[in-house]
């Protein structure tokens, strides 16, 4: 049963459509203002704020039960994160409402997504992208110096803001230089590695956004560290597992965006400095460790195009002022200059990258279906669960210790009863088993392992269970060397036939014909079983029948005392008689009640 969720979307009304020249709108927290010809003046301000008509704060997006029309553009959450069970759910209705509008549903789509660690300014960057999209025809698209930054919800501080995946409700229709129109969608993602997200949560969000975007901006702070590349390898591999088998690079463009770059004297700010820096970081060298080479080869094999942009620090006022609201006069000039280069690099009509999957361009309508298919995969159990490096290392460490201890036990038992070794008495075999088992457990405990005592105890229990399974196989192997064990079934059946023949003759001679007939019946059944068993062993057919005969013969063999055999048979018959009696009583009562009703 699908759980009820608080969906951050509207249940009524049409989503605002985009056009080449967007109409002016009022400004409020959670919305992006649009250009108005009368709003521009000498200070460079592009539009006016009218607080009376401000949109509600996008922190307080309406519940699905509220009747609120989406008459103004706003962020809409399409992938909802459930913190209680760490699962994700797709808000299909909200996604369809945005992407299945008549004027865009058949257009090829461009999806620009920003992903990375939490509290690194992803939503802040997306809001400048929104400013560009609404004012792209203006040379002053970046806005006025005193205008607060609005759009996707963002704030300063150390706690996360965005959860799941959000998209901007307005899909922008852009005409490319070749005359074709495309739909541009901006996507914001939950930050990775916060205190409430598991590795699986982070991998799912990153993989889902990478699979559905044509340009993934990988937002990093200060540098590209090795753990950043390793996490990228893990997340992209998790995404590649969910996709159908492909014979080309599964993802399109990855843009490394290095924020707060502090080494412009080594590599200059911008795209060219970033290109040289990325080549150096992703270079595969002969003297590199194999692990480092594999990470770099994996990244090159996953993306059709790799880029890097070095962005300076926005300034101390941005970092330390708790009341900072995105006004340009609080941001350093270097940051604003590079921002003017970065945003058009991603969103200018001539630079737009249309979404493709398996070589085919994807429309807005297609993207809805891909979202549905991908989210179902991540909601299922087909994919392995990504784990932290400590947990993965601890598991591998403990499994290696289990394998070593198991190997020690197997070698010891092989020397005692394996291969061509002669038959060993069961009591002696049991003693050897106990000795080697204790030795194997001591070996397991002596190996230095990660994960803690309780974590390792699970693997010790696993080792003990596997040793018992190996011992059972050695017991069967040892019994197979006993010629009398191999002949147990025919010997038992022959003994039964001989006994029944003697008893039948004696009871017939004494006039006890009923007992004689019963003995003859058992004799015939034993003879048929013997012939059947011989055929199974000779031909290899009907192995289940042969196994059943072996089990019956083994039961008779173990109860060699005739009194035990007959007492066991009598006990089985007695239980069946009692069961039949108990089931017949309710039937008699039911029939008597029916007779009373008829009378």
């Amino acid at each position: 049963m699908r759980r009820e969720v608080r969906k951050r979307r509207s249940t009524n009304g049409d989503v605002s459509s985009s056009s080449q020249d967007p109409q002016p709108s009022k400004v409020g927290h959670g919305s992006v203002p649009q250009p108005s010809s009368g709003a521009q003046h000498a200070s460079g301000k592009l539009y006016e704020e009218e607080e009376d008509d401000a949109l509600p704060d996008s922190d307080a997006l309406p519940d699905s039960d509220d009747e609120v029309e989406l008459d103004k553009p706003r962020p809409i959450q399409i992938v909802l994160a459930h913190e209680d069970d760490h699962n994700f759910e797709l808000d299909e209705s909200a996604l369809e409402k945005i992407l299945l509008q008549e004027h865009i549903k058949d257009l090829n789509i461009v999806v620009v997504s920003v992903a990375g660690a939490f509290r690194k300014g992803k939503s802040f960057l997306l809001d400048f992208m929104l400013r560009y999209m609404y004012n792209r025809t203006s040379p002053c698209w970046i806005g006025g110096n005193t205008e607060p930054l609005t759009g996707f919800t963002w704030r300063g501080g150390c706690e996360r803001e965005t959860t799941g995946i959000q998209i901007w409700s307005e899909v922008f229709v852009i005409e490319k230089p070749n005359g074709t129109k495309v739909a541009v969608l901006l996507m914001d993602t939950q930050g990775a590695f916060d205190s409430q997200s598991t590795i699986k949560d982070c991998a799912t969000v990153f993989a889902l956004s990478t699979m559905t975007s044509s340009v993934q901006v990988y937002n990093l702070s200060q540098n590209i560290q090795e753990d950043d590349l390793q996490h990228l390898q893990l997340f992209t591999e998790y995404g590649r597992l969910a996709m159908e088998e492909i014979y080309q690079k599964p993802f399109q463009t990855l843009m490394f965006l290095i924020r707060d770059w502090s080494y412009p004297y080594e590599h200059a700010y911008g795209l060219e400095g970033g290109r040289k820096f990325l080549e150096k970081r992703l270079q595969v060298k002969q003297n590199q460790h194999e692990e480092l080479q594999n990470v770099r080869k994996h990244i090159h094999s996953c993306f059709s195009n790799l880029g890097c942009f070095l962005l300076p620090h926005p300034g101390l006022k941005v970092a330390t002022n708790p009341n900072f609201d995105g006004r340009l006069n609080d941001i350093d000039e270097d940051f604003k200059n590079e921002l003017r280069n970065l945003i058009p690099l991603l969103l200018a009509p001539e630079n737009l990258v249309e979404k493709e999957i398996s070589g085919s361009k994807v429309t807005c309508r297609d993207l809805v279906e891909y979202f549905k298919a991908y989210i179902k995969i991540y909601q299922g159990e087909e994919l392995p669960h990504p784990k932290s490096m400590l947990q993965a290392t601890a598991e591998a460490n403990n499994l290696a210790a289990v394998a070593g201890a198991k190997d020690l036990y197997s070698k010891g038992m092989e020397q005692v009863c394996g291969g061509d070794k002669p038959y060993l008495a069961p009591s002696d075999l049991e003693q050897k088993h106990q000795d080697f088992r204790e030795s194997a457990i001591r070996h397991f405990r002596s190996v230095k392992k990660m994960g803690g005592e309780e974590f390792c105890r699970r693997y010790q229990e696993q080792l003990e269970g596997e040793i018992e399974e190996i011992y059972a196989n050695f017991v069967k192997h040892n019994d197979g060397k006993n010629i009398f064990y191999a002949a147990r079934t025919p010997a038992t059946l022959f003994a039964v036939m001989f006994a029944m023949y003697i008893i039948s003759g004696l009871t017939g001679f004494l006039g006890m014909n009923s007992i004689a007939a019963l003995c003859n019946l058992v004799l015939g059944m034993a003879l048929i079983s013997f012939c059947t068993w011989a055929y199974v062993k000779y031909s290899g057919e009907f192995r289940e029948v042969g196994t059943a005969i072996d089990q019956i013969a083994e039961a008779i063999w173990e109860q060699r005392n005739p009194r035990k055999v007959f007492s066991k048979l009598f006990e089985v018959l007695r239980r069946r008689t009692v069961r039949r009696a108990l089931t017949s009583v309710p039937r008699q009562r039911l029939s008597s009640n029916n007779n009373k009703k008829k009378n």
Side-chain angles (χ1 to χ4, degrees), residues 81-83 86-88 116-118 160 162-164 189-205 235 386 388:
H82 300 294
E83 293 182 3
H86 294 279
N87 276 329
F88 293 90
F118 81 116
R160 73 176 185 180
T162 306
T163 60
T189 64
Q190 172 179 319
F193 313 120
D194 63 83
S195 60
Q196 301 173 56
S197 301
T198 65
I199 290 293
K200 180 178 181 292
D201 296 341
C202 300
T204 301
V205 170
F235 297 163
S388 68

PDB file of all heavy atoms in Angstrom, residues 81-83 86-88 116-118 160 162-164 189-205 235 386 388:
ATOM      1  N   ALA A  81      11.981  12.316  -0.083  1.00  0.00           N
ATOM      2  CA  ALA A  81      12.847  11.477   0.759  1.00  0.00           C
ATOM      3  C   ALA A  81      12.120  11.153   2.058  1.00  0.00           C
ATOM      4  O   ALA A  81      11.646  12.044   2.755  1.00  0.00           O
ATOM      5  CB  ALA A  81      14.154  12.202   1.048  1.00  0.00           C
ATOM      6  N   HIS A  82      12.032   9.854   2.376  1.00  0.00           N
ATOM      7  CA  HIS A  82      11.423   9.409   3.625  1.00  0.00           C
ATOM      8  C   HIS A  82      12.542   9.057   4.605  1.00  0.00           C
ATOM      9  O   HIS A  82      13.236   8.051   4.435  1.00  0.00           O
ATOM     10  CB  HIS A  82      10.525   8.200   3.396  1.00  0.00           C
ATOM     11  CG  HIS A  82       9.390   8.465   2.441  1.00  0.00           C
ATOM     12  ND1 HIS A  82       8.361   9.332   2.726  1.00  0.00           N
ATOM     13  CD2 HIS A  82       9.143   7.993   1.198  1.00  0.00           C
ATOM     14  CE1 HIS A  82       7.525   9.378   1.715  1.00  0.00           C
ATOM     15  NE2 HIS A  82       7.980   8.573   0.758  1.00  0.00           N
ATOM     16  N   GLU A  83      12.692   9.879   5.614  1.00  0.00           N
ATOM     17  CA  GLU A  83      13.813   9.696   6.528  1.00  0.00           C
ATOM     18  C   GLU A  83      13.627   8.489   7.436  1.00  0.00           C
ATOM     19  O   GLU A  83      14.603   7.935   7.940  1.00  0.00           O
ATOM     20  CB  GLU A  83      13.995  10.956   7.386  1.00  0.00           C
ATOM     21  CG  GLU A  83      14.453  12.169   6.590  1.00  0.00           C
ATOM     22  CD  GLU A  83      14.681  13.375   7.473  1.00  0.00           C
ATOM     23  OE1 GLU A  83      14.526  13.235   8.703  1.00  0.00           O
ATOM     24  OE2 GLU A  83      15.007  14.450   6.939  1.00  0.00           O
ATOM     25  N   HIS A  86      14.411   5.536   4.896  1.00  0.00           N
ATOM     26  CA  HIS A  86      15.449   5.856   3.913  1.00  0.00           C
ATOM     27  C   HIS A  86      15.070   5.346   2.521  1.00  0.00           C
ATOM     28  O   HIS A  86      15.871   4.730   1.828  1.00  0.00           O
ATOM     29  CB  HIS A  86      16.800   5.274   4.350  1.00  0.00           C
ATOM     30  CG  HIS A  86      17.324   5.908   5.600  1.00  0.00           C
ATOM     31  ND1 HIS A  86      17.983   7.114   5.618  1.00  0.00           N
ATOM     32  CD2 HIS A  86      17.254   5.510   6.900  1.00  0.00           C
ATOM     33  CE1 HIS A  86      18.315   7.426   6.860  1.00  0.00           C
ATOM     34  NE2 HIS A  86      17.881   6.482   7.658  1.00  0.00           N
ATOM     35  N   ASN A  87      13.838   5.626   2.135  1.00  0.00           N
ATOM     36  CA  ASN A  87      13.371   5.317   0.794  1.00  0.00           C
ATOM     37  C   ASN A  87      12.978   6.605   0.084  1.00  0.00           C
ATOM     38  O   ASN A  87      12.762   7.635   0.719  1.00  0.00           O
ATOM     39  CB  ASN A  87      12.167   4.359   0.840  1.00  0.00           C
ATOM     40  CG  ASN A  87      12.603   2.915   0.964  1.00  0.00           C
ATOM     41  OD1 ASN A  87      13.669   2.532   0.474  1.00  0.00           O
ATOM     42  ND2 ASN A  87      11.806   2.103   1.638  1.00  0.00           N
ATOM     43  N   PHE A  88      12.860   6.509  -1.234  1.00  0.00           N
ATOM     44  CA  PHE A  88      12.494   7.672  -2.047  1.00  0.00           C
ATOM     45  C   PHE A  88      11.236   7.344  -2.829  1.00  0.00           C
ATOM     46  O   PHE A  88      11.015   6.193  -3.228  1.00  0.00           O
ATOM     47  CB  PHE A  88      13.628   8.040  -2.999  1.00  0.00           C
ATOM     48  CG  PHE A  88      14.851   8.555  -2.297  1.00  0.00           C
ATOM     49  CD1 PHE A  88      15.857   7.692  -1.893  1.00  0.00           C
ATOM     50  CD2 PHE A  88      14.992   9.902  -2.018  1.00  0.00           C
ATOM     51  CE1 PHE A  88      16.979   8.155  -1.236  1.00  0.00           C
ATOM     52  CE2 PHE A  88      16.115  10.378  -1.364  1.00  0.00           C
ATOM     53  CZ  PHE A  88      17.113   9.507  -0.970  1.00  0.00           C
ATOM     54  N   GLY A 116      26.203  17.370  -5.271  1.00  0.00           N
ATOM     55  CA  GLY A 116      27.438  17.420  -4.495  1.00  0.00           C
ATOM     56  C   GLY A 116      27.141  17.384  -3.016  1.00  0.00           C
ATOM     57  O   GLY A 116      26.016  17.097  -2.589  1.00  0.00           O
ATOM     58  N   ALA A 117      28.148  17.656  -2.200  1.00  0.00           N
ATOM     59  CA  ALA A 117      27.997  17.624  -0.754  1.00  0.00           C
ATOM     60  C   ALA A 117      27.051  18.721  -0.280  1.00  0.00           C
ATOM     61  O   ALA A 117      26.853  19.741  -0.954  1.00  0.00           O
ATOM     62  CB  ALA A 117      29.363  17.769  -0.077  1.00  0.00           C
ATOM     63  N   PHE A 118      26.428  18.507   0.890  1.00  0.00           N
ATOM     64  CA  PHE A 118      25.477  19.482   1.402  1.00  0.00           C
ATOM     65  C   PHE A 118      26.204  20.725   1.928  1.00  0.00           C
ATOM     66  O   PHE A 118      27.373  20.686   2.298  1.00  0.00           O
ATOM     67  CB  PHE A 118      24.601  18.846   2.483  1.00  0.00           C
ATOM     68  CG  PHE A 118      25.211  18.764   3.854  1.00  0.00           C
ATOM     69  CD1 PHE A 118      24.670  19.454   4.919  1.00  0.00           C
ATOM     70  CD2 PHE A 118      26.329  17.976   4.090  1.00  0.00           C
ATOM     71  CE1 PHE A 118      25.226  19.389   6.184  1.00  0.00           C
ATOM     72  CE2 PHE A 118      26.892  17.885   5.350  1.00  0.00           C
ATOM     73  CZ  PHE A 118      26.339  18.602   6.402  1.00  0.00           C
ATOM     74  N   ARG A 160      21.303  21.114   6.540  1.00  0.00           N
ATOM     75  CA  ARG A 160      20.879  20.945   5.153  1.00  0.00           C
ATOM     76  C   ARG A 160      19.548  21.649   4.901  1.00  0.00           C
ATOM     77  O   ARG A 160      18.745  21.858   5.805  1.00  0.00           O
ATOM     78  CB  ARG A 160      20.755  19.458   4.823  1.00  0.00           C
ATOM     79  CG  ARG A 160      19.541  18.777   5.451  1.00  0.00           C
ATOM     80  CD  ARG A 160      19.444  17.342   4.993  1.00  0.00           C
ATOM     81  NE  ARG A 160      18.224  16.714   5.501  1.00  0.00           N
ATOM     82  CZ  ARG A 160      17.880  15.455   5.255  1.00  0.00           C
ATOM     83  NH1 ARG A 160      18.672  14.688   4.520  1.00  0.00           N
ATOM     84  NH2 ARG A 160      16.769  14.948   5.738  1.00  0.00           N
ATOM     85  N   THR A 162      17.868  21.401   1.198  1.00  0.00           N
ATOM     86  CA  THR A 162      17.133  20.658   0.175  1.00  0.00           C
ATOM     87  C   THR A 162      17.114  19.169   0.512  1.00  0.00           C
ATOM     88  O   THR A 162      18.116  18.610   0.939  1.00  0.00           O
ATOM     89  CB  THR A 162      17.793  20.855  -1.205  1.00  0.00           C
ATOM     90  OG1 THR A 162      17.913  22.247  -1.461  1.00  0.00           O
ATOM     91  CG2 THR A 162      16.965  20.204  -2.294  1.00  0.00           C
ATOM     92  N   THR A 163      15.960  18.533   0.334  1.00  0.00           N
ATOM     93  CA  THR A 163      15.858  17.079   0.467  1.00  0.00           C
ATOM     94  C   THR A 163      15.272  16.509  -0.819  1.00  0.00           C
ATOM     95  O   THR A 163      14.485  17.165  -1.504  1.00  0.00           O
ATOM     96  CB  THR A 163      14.966  16.678   1.657  1.00  0.00           C
ATOM     97  OG1 THR A 163      13.648  17.212   1.455  1.00  0.00           O
ATOM     98  CG2 THR A 163      15.533  17.194   2.965  1.00  0.00           C
ATOM     99  N   GLY A 164      15.643  15.274  -1.127  1.00  0.00           N
ATOM    100  CA  GLY A 164      15.140  14.651  -2.351  1.00  0.00           C
ATOM    101  C   GLY A 164      15.638  15.376  -3.591  1.00  0.00           C
ATOM    102  O   GLY A 164      16.780  15.826  -3.663  1.00  0.00           O
ATOM    103  N   THR A 189      19.293  19.112  -6.129  1.00  0.00           N
ATOM    104  CA  THR A 189      19.343  17.792  -5.480  1.00  0.00           C
ATOM    105  C   THR A 189      19.733  17.922  -4.020  1.00  0.00           C
ATOM    106  O   THR A 189      20.377  18.868  -3.598  1.00  0.00           O
ATOM    107  CB  THR A 189      20.363  16.865  -6.172  1.00  0.00           C
ATOM    108  OG1 THR A 189      21.673  17.420  -6.028  1.00  0.00           O
ATOM    109  CG2 THR A 189      20.035  16.691  -7.637  1.00  0.00           C
ATOM    110  N   GLN A 190      19.318  16.907  -3.268  1.00  0.00           N
ATOM    111  CA  GLN A 190      19.695  16.811  -1.855  1.00  0.00           C
ATOM    112  C   GLN A 190      21.205  16.673  -1.726  1.00  0.00           C
ATOM    113  O   GLN A 190      21.828  15.902  -2.432  1.00  0.00           O
ATOM    114  CB  GLN A 190      18.999  15.597  -1.244  1.00  0.00           C
ATOM    115  CG  GLN A 190      19.418  15.243   0.164  1.00  0.00           C
ATOM    116  CD  GLN A 190      18.645  14.039   0.681  1.00  0.00           C
ATOM    117  OE1 GLN A 190      17.447  13.916   0.460  1.00  0.00           O
ATOM    118  NE2 GLN A 190      19.331  13.133   1.354  1.00  0.00           N
ATOM    119  N   GLY A 191      21.789  17.441  -0.813  1.00  0.00           N
ATOM    120  CA  GLY A 191      23.228  17.376  -0.604  1.00  0.00           C
ATOM    121  C   GLY A 191      23.653  16.043  -0.017  1.00  0.00           C
ATOM    122  O   GLY A 191      22.943  15.438   0.790  1.00  0.00           O
ATOM    123  N   ALA A 192      24.812  15.583  -0.447  1.00  0.00           N
ATOM    124  CA  ALA A 192      25.323  14.296   0.023  1.00  0.00           C
ATOM    125  C   ALA A 192      26.065  14.463   1.346  1.00  0.00           C
ATOM    126  O   ALA A 192      26.557  15.532   1.685  1.00  0.00           O
ATOM    127  CB  ALA A 192      26.252  13.691  -1.031  1.00  0.00           C
ATOM    128  N   PHE A 193      26.137  13.350   2.082  1.00  0.00           N
ATOM    129  CA  PHE A 193      26.980  13.224   3.289  1.00  0.00           C
ATOM    130  C   PHE A 193      26.539  14.114   4.442  1.00  0.00           C
ATOM    131  O   PHE A 193      27.365  14.553   5.231  1.00  0.00           O
ATOM    132  CB  PHE A 193      28.450  13.509   2.955  1.00  0.00           C
ATOM    133  CG  PHE A 193      28.932  12.803   1.734  1.00  0.00           C
ATOM    134  CD1 PHE A 193      29.416  13.522   0.642  1.00  0.00           C
ATOM    135  CD2 PHE A 193      28.883  11.432   1.636  1.00  0.00           C
ATOM    136  CE1 PHE A 193      29.849  12.882  -0.495  1.00  0.00           C
ATOM    137  CE2 PHE A 193      29.319  10.779   0.501  1.00  0.00           C
ATOM    138  CZ  PHE A 193      29.804  11.496  -0.568  1.00  0.00           C
ATOM    139  N   ASP A 194      25.223  14.392   4.548  1.00  0.00           N
ATOM    140  CA  ASP A 194      24.770  15.066   5.754  1.00  0.00           C
ATOM    141  C   ASP A 194      24.530  14.032   6.848  1.00  0.00           C
ATOM    142  O   ASP A 194      24.611  12.825   6.615  1.00  0.00           O
ATOM    143  CB  ASP A 194      23.496  15.877   5.479  1.00  0.00           C
ATOM    144  CG  ASP A 194      22.332  14.998   5.063  1.00  0.00           C
ATOM    145  OD1 ASP A 194      21.674  14.443   5.953  1.00  0.00           O
ATOM    146  OD2 ASP A 194      22.099  14.846   3.842  1.00  0.00           O
ATOM    147  N   SER A 195      24.225  14.503   8.052  1.00  0.00           N
ATOM    148  CA  SER A 195      24.147  13.608   9.209  1.00  0.00           C
ATOM    149  C   SER A 195      22.912  12.721   9.201  1.00  0.00           C
ATOM    150  O   SER A 195      22.792  11.824  10.031  1.00  0.00           O
ATOM    151  CB  SER A 195      24.159  14.434  10.501  1.00  0.00           C
ATOM    152  OG  SER A 195      23.054  15.328  10.534  1.00  0.00           O
ATOM    153  N   GLN A 196      21.970  12.927   8.275  1.00  0.00           N
ATOM    154  CA  GLN A 196      20.734  12.151   8.257  1.00  0.00           C
ATOM    155  C   GLN A 196      20.622  11.221   7.053  1.00  0.00           C
ATOM    156  O   GLN A 196      19.616  10.554   6.889  1.00  0.00           O
ATOM    157  CB  GLN A 196      19.534  13.106   8.267  1.00  0.00           C
ATOM    158  CG  GLN A 196      19.508  14.030   9.472  1.00  0.00           C
ATOM    159  CD  GLN A 196      18.406  15.063   9.368  1.00  0.00           C
ATOM    160  OE1 GLN A 196      17.237  14.725   9.216  1.00  0.00           O
ATOM    161  NE2 GLN A 196      18.768  16.337   9.436  1.00  0.00           N
ATOM    162  N   SER A 197      21.637  11.204   6.203  1.00  0.00           N
ATOM    163  CA  SER A 197      21.579  10.406   4.973  1.00  0.00           C
ATOM    164  C   SER A 197      22.588   9.265   5.026  1.00  0.00           C
ATOM    165  O   SER A 197      23.723   9.450   5.461  1.00  0.00           O
ATOM    166  CB  SER A 197      21.863  11.276   3.744  1.00  0.00           C
ATOM    167  OG  SER A 197      20.929  12.319   3.647  1.00  0.00           O
ATOM    168  N   THR A 198      22.145   8.093   4.585  1.00  0.00           N
ATOM    169  CA  THR A 198      23.052   6.961   4.455  1.00  0.00           C
ATOM    170  C   THR A 198      23.788   7.045   3.118  1.00  0.00           C
ATOM    171  O   THR A 198      23.444   7.855   2.257  1.00  0.00           O
ATOM    172  CB  THR A 198      22.274   5.634   4.524  1.00  0.00           C
ATOM    173  OG1 THR A 198      21.396   5.559   3.380  1.00  0.00           O
ATOM    174  CG2 THR A 198      21.449   5.545   5.795  1.00  0.00           C
ATOM    175  N   ILE A 199      24.791   6.194   2.968  1.00  0.00           N
ATOM    176  CA  ILE A 199      25.500   6.134   1.684  1.00  0.00           C
ATOM    177  C   ILE A 199      24.532   5.757   0.569  1.00  0.00           C
ATOM    178  O   ILE A 199      24.615   6.280  -0.547  1.00  0.00           O
ATOM    179  CB  ILE A 199      26.657   5.120   1.773  1.00  0.00           C
ATOM    180  CG1 ILE A 199      27.764   5.651   2.680  1.00  0.00           C
ATOM    181  CG2 ILE A 199      27.230   4.842   0.393  1.00  0.00           C
ATOM    182  CD1 ILE A 199      28.505   6.853   2.155  1.00  0.00           C
ATOM    183  N   LYS A 200      23.586   4.875   0.852  1.00  0.00           N
ATOM    184  CA  LYS A 200      22.590   4.492  -0.155  1.00  0.00           C
ATOM    185  C   LYS A 200      21.737   5.692  -0.565  1.00  0.00           C
ATOM    186  O   LYS A 200      21.440   5.876  -1.748  1.00  0.00           O
ATOM    187  CB  LYS A 200      21.696   3.375   0.379  1.00  0.00           C
ATOM    188  CG  LYS A 200      20.631   2.902  -0.607  1.00  0.00           C
ATOM    189  CD  LYS A 200      19.827   1.760  -0.024  1.00  0.00           C
ATOM    190  CE  LYS A 200      18.780   1.269  -1.015  1.00  0.00           C
ATOM    191  NZ  LYS A 200      17.710   2.234  -1.256  1.00  0.00           N
ATOM    192  N   ASP A 201      21.333   6.512   0.411  1.00  0.00           N
ATOM    193  CA  ASP A 201      20.553   7.718   0.083  1.00  0.00           C
ATOM    194  C   ASP A 201      21.341   8.632  -0.850  1.00  0.00           C
ATOM    195  O   ASP A 201      20.816   9.109  -1.868  1.00  0.00           O
ATOM    196  CB  ASP A 201      20.209   8.488   1.360  1.00  0.00           C
ATOM    197  CG  ASP A 201      19.307   7.703   2.295  1.00  0.00           C
ATOM    198  OD1 ASP A 201      18.671   6.759   1.822  1.00  0.00           O
ATOM    199  OD2 ASP A 201      19.262   8.029   3.495  1.00  0.00           O
ATOM    200  N   CYS A 202      22.598   8.894  -0.490  1.00  0.00           N
ATOM    201  CA  CYS A 202      23.438   9.786  -1.307  1.00  0.00           C
ATOM    202  C   CYS A 202      23.626   9.219  -2.711  1.00  0.00           C
ATOM    203  O   CYS A 202      23.534   9.945  -3.705  1.00  0.00           O
ATOM    204  CB  CYS A 202      24.795   9.992  -0.631  1.00  0.00           C
ATOM    205  SG  CYS A 202      24.698  10.719   1.021  1.00  0.00           S
ATOM    206  N   ALA A 203      23.901   7.916  -2.785  1.00  0.00           N
ATOM    207  CA  ALA A 203      24.125   7.285  -4.091  1.00  0.00           C
ATOM    208  C   ALA A 203      22.866   7.322  -4.947  1.00  0.00           C
ATOM    209  O   ALA A 203      22.928   7.552  -6.157  1.00  0.00           O
ATOM    210  CB  ALA A 203      24.592   5.845  -3.902  1.00  0.00           C
ATOM    211  N   THR A 204      21.707   7.098  -4.333  1.00  0.00           N
ATOM    212  CA  THR A 204      20.444   7.091  -5.082  1.00  0.00           C
ATOM    213  C   THR A 204      20.153   8.462  -5.678  1.00  0.00           C
ATOM    214  O   THR A 204      19.808   8.578  -6.862  1.00  0.00           O
ATOM    215  CB  THR A 204      19.290   6.647  -4.170  1.00  0.00           C
ATOM    216  OG1 THR A 204      19.556   5.342  -3.657  1.00  0.00           O
ATOM    217  CG2 THR A 204      17.978   6.632  -4.929  1.00  0.00           C
ATOM    218  N   VAL A 205      20.285   9.518  -4.871  1.00  0.00           N
ATOM    219  CA  VAL A 205      19.993  10.871  -5.362  1.00  0.00           C
ATOM    220  C   VAL A 205      20.974  11.264  -6.460  1.00  0.00           C
ATOM    221  O   VAL A 205      20.580  11.773  -7.518  1.00  0.00           O
ATOM    222  CB  VAL A 205      20.042  11.884  -4.195  1.00  0.00           C
ATOM    223  CG1 VAL A 205      19.979  13.309  -4.731  1.00  0.00           C
ATOM    224  CG2 VAL A 205      18.887  11.643  -3.240  1.00  0.00           C
ATOM    225  N   PHE A 235      28.927   6.405  -7.039  1.00  0.00           N
ATOM    226  CA  PHE A 235      27.591   6.880  -7.397  1.00  0.00           C
ATOM    227  C   PHE A 235      27.271   6.598  -8.856  1.00  0.00           C
ATOM    228  O   PHE A 235      26.147   6.214  -9.195  1.00  0.00           O
ATOM    229  CB  PHE A 235      27.476   8.379  -7.110  1.00  0.00           C
ATOM    230  CG  PHE A 235      27.629   8.740  -5.648  1.00  0.00           C
ATOM    231  CD1 PHE A 235      27.905  10.045  -5.269  1.00  0.00           C
ATOM    232  CD2 PHE A 235      27.511   7.786  -4.656  1.00  0.00           C
ATOM    233  CE1 PHE A 235      28.044  10.385  -3.933  1.00  0.00           C
ATOM    234  CE2 PHE A 235      27.651   8.107  -3.312  1.00  0.00           C
ATOM    235  CZ  PHE A 235      27.920   9.408  -2.948  1.00  0.00           C
ATOM    236  N   PRO A 386      24.772   0.266  -1.649  1.00  0.00           N
ATOM    237  CA  PRO A 386      26.092   0.874  -1.434  1.00  0.00           C
ATOM    238  C   PRO A 386      26.376   1.002   0.056  1.00  0.00           C
ATOM    239  O   PRO A 386      25.476   1.202   0.861  1.00  0.00           O
ATOM    240  CB  PRO A 386      25.951   2.267  -2.080  1.00  0.00           C
ATOM    241  CG  PRO A 386      24.734   2.198  -2.918  1.00  0.00           C
ATOM    242  CD  PRO A 386      23.847   1.183  -2.314  1.00  0.00           C
ATOM    243  N   SER A 388      29.357   2.310   3.232  1.00  0.00           N
ATOM    244  CA  SER A 388      30.484   3.185   3.538  1.00  0.00           C
ATOM    245  C   SER A 388      31.780   2.417   3.349  1.00  0.00           C
ATOM    246  O   SER A 388      31.807   1.175   3.376  1.00  0.00           O
ATOM    247  CB  SER A 388      30.389   3.700   4.972  1.00  0.00           C
ATOM    248  OG  SER A 388      30.581   2.635   5.887  1.00  0.00           O
TER     249      SER A 388
END
